[in-house]
Amino acid sequence: RELIRFKNVSKQYGEGDKKFYALHNVNFEINQGEYVVILGPSGAGKSTLLNLLGGMDQASSGEILVEGTNIEGYNDAQLTEFRANNVGFVFQFYNLIPTLTALENVSITKDIKKSKRTSEAILESVHLERQMHQFPAELSGGEQQRVSIARAIRKDPLMLLCDEPTGALDSKTGVDILKVLHNLCKEENKTVIIVTHNATIAQTADRVIYLKNGEIEKMTLNEQPLMID
Ligand code: ADP
Ligand code: ADP
């Protein structure tokens, strides 16, 4: 089932002589439950693409269909509701609130849609049952990222958007985080979209979208994605 479709999406920044395309006529589809990597060098337009998809910013032209509805037609209030109901974000630097415990960081989301699972159950599912009452500064980098993943899935979103989720971690901890994301995708049928410049991570994906200078250079489907184990 198709979840996301980009149709001739462009995003321009700047004015006059300085005007340029961060994204130019981008077209692709993503199916429900896919594990997707958007790969490209710095400045390729990866974060711009993720921000448009997550309703954090709007395109200059084109359509972004999510379950058949063009979110580019949304006003600010509709976009806010779209983000709250449908999108979980995972960032490179976790973005946890330092004065709240792990459990409080996960519970704080006051989104409209209620998750079927409690925050405690979600933290257990990412193996943080012992650390629930610790503050971010008392957690390792990998643990902080697992809290941020737990926070992102608390509202049972349609899609999980991850911007360099392993970028601040050593490689072993990074692999652990990728396993958590992969399990969410395969066991809970979540659509997971990871932005990275790391070509090894791309080998684990079902679908890889290669971005360069704001355009899709190529797109591949991995018949046999590299197993993360
Ligand atoms: P990536 O995530 O692949 O590194 P980005 O999407 O962050 O690339 O950026 C793509 C291009 O758009 C870069 O040249 C960047 O400098 C530019 N850019 C990104 N955001 C803005 C902005 N808010 N204003 C102006 N230029 C921007
Ligand atoms: P890393 O290998 O990422 O540097 P740390 O050395 O920061 O990891 O943390 C190792 C373990 O110690 C983690 O499980 C973390 O939960 C725990 N820990 C770190 N700092 C504290 C603290 N101040 N209080 C309680 N537990 C802590």
Side-chain angles (χ1 to χ4, degrees):
R1 186 173 69 88
E2 179 182 296
L3 179 65
I4 295 155
R5 179 187 287 260
F6 270 51
K7 284 170 81 173
N8 289 320
V9 173
S10 294
K11 177 69 182 178
Q12 280 186 310
Y13 287 119
E15 292 294 325
D17 291 352
K18 298 214 172 80
K19 211 154 152 178
F20 80 104
Y21 285 102
L23 288 177
H24 193 223
N25 284 337
V26 168
N27 291 283
F28 64 86
E29 298 121 47
I30 290 174
N31 293 325
Q32 157 71 30
E34 269 189 319
Y35 191 75
V36 180
V37 164
I38 297 169
L39 183 69
S42 177
K46 305 184 297 297
S47 299
T48 300
L49 192 158
L50 213 60
N51 289 341
L52 296 180
L53 181 53
M56 307 220 275
D57 199 359
Q58 290 197 290
S60 307
S61 60
E63 294 183 6
I64 299 174
L65 305 176
V66 178
E67 293 190 307
T69 303
N70 180 18
I71 66 170
E72 294 310 307
Y74 282 173
N75 62 30
D76 284 350
Q78 287 171 312
L79 272 184
T80 302
E81 191 181 327
F82 168 77
R83 281 196 303 271
N85 279 324
N86 300 312
V87 190
F89 290 101
V90 176
F91 303 97
Q92 178 171 5
F93 296 111
Y94 329 127
N95 292 22
L96 299 175
I97 299 171
T99 53
L100 300 180
T101 65
L103 182 59
E104 289 165 345
N105 263 286
V106 175
S107 308
I108 192 165
T109 137
K110 29 185 182 309
D111 293 308
I112 306 116
K113 204 169 72 176
K114 272 273 164 59
S115 169
K116 292 173 228 89
R117 291 192 293 163
T118 63
S119 300
E120 286 88 345
I122 291 168
L123 280 164
E124 278 167 24
S125 76
V126 295
H127 309 296
L128 287 176
E129 50 276 56
R130 283 190 307 107
Q131 292 91 338
M132 271 184 213
H133 302 293
Q134 288 174 222
F135 292 93
E138 299 170 341
L139 299 170
S140 70
E143 290 168 339
Q144 289 183 62
Q145 192 59 302
R146 280 187 276 147
V147 174
S148 93
I149 292 169
R151 178 186 55 187
I153 61 177
R154 172 73 176 88
K155 57 186 169 185
D156 200 14
L158 266 182
M159 51 178 136
L160 208 57
L161 305 183
C162 313
D163 200 345
E164 298 280 5
T166 63
L169 302 170
D170 62 60
S171 59
K172 182 182 170 298
T173 311
V175 169
D176 289 342
I177 291 300
L178 291 175
K179 276 187 210 167
V180 170
L181 293 172
H182 196 259
N183 283 346
L184 277 170
C185 182
K186 296 306 163 194
E187 285 164 23
E188 302 184 26
N189 200 31
K190 291 272 171 246
T191 306
V192 174
I193 301 170
I194 298 175
V195 154
T196 184
H197 62 269
N198 182 325
T200 309
I201 294 178
Q203 294 180 309
T204 67
D206 300 326
R207 184 188 297 270
V208 186
I209 298 170
Y210 296 81
L211 264 191
K212 198 173 173 185
N213 295 326
E215 300 190 7
I216 295 188
E217 198 178 30
K218 62 174 174 169
M219 181 154 72
T220 58
L221 291 175
N222 282 340
E223 295 283 330
Q224 289 179 307
L226 186 72
M227 292 300 291
I228 325 171
D229 271 312

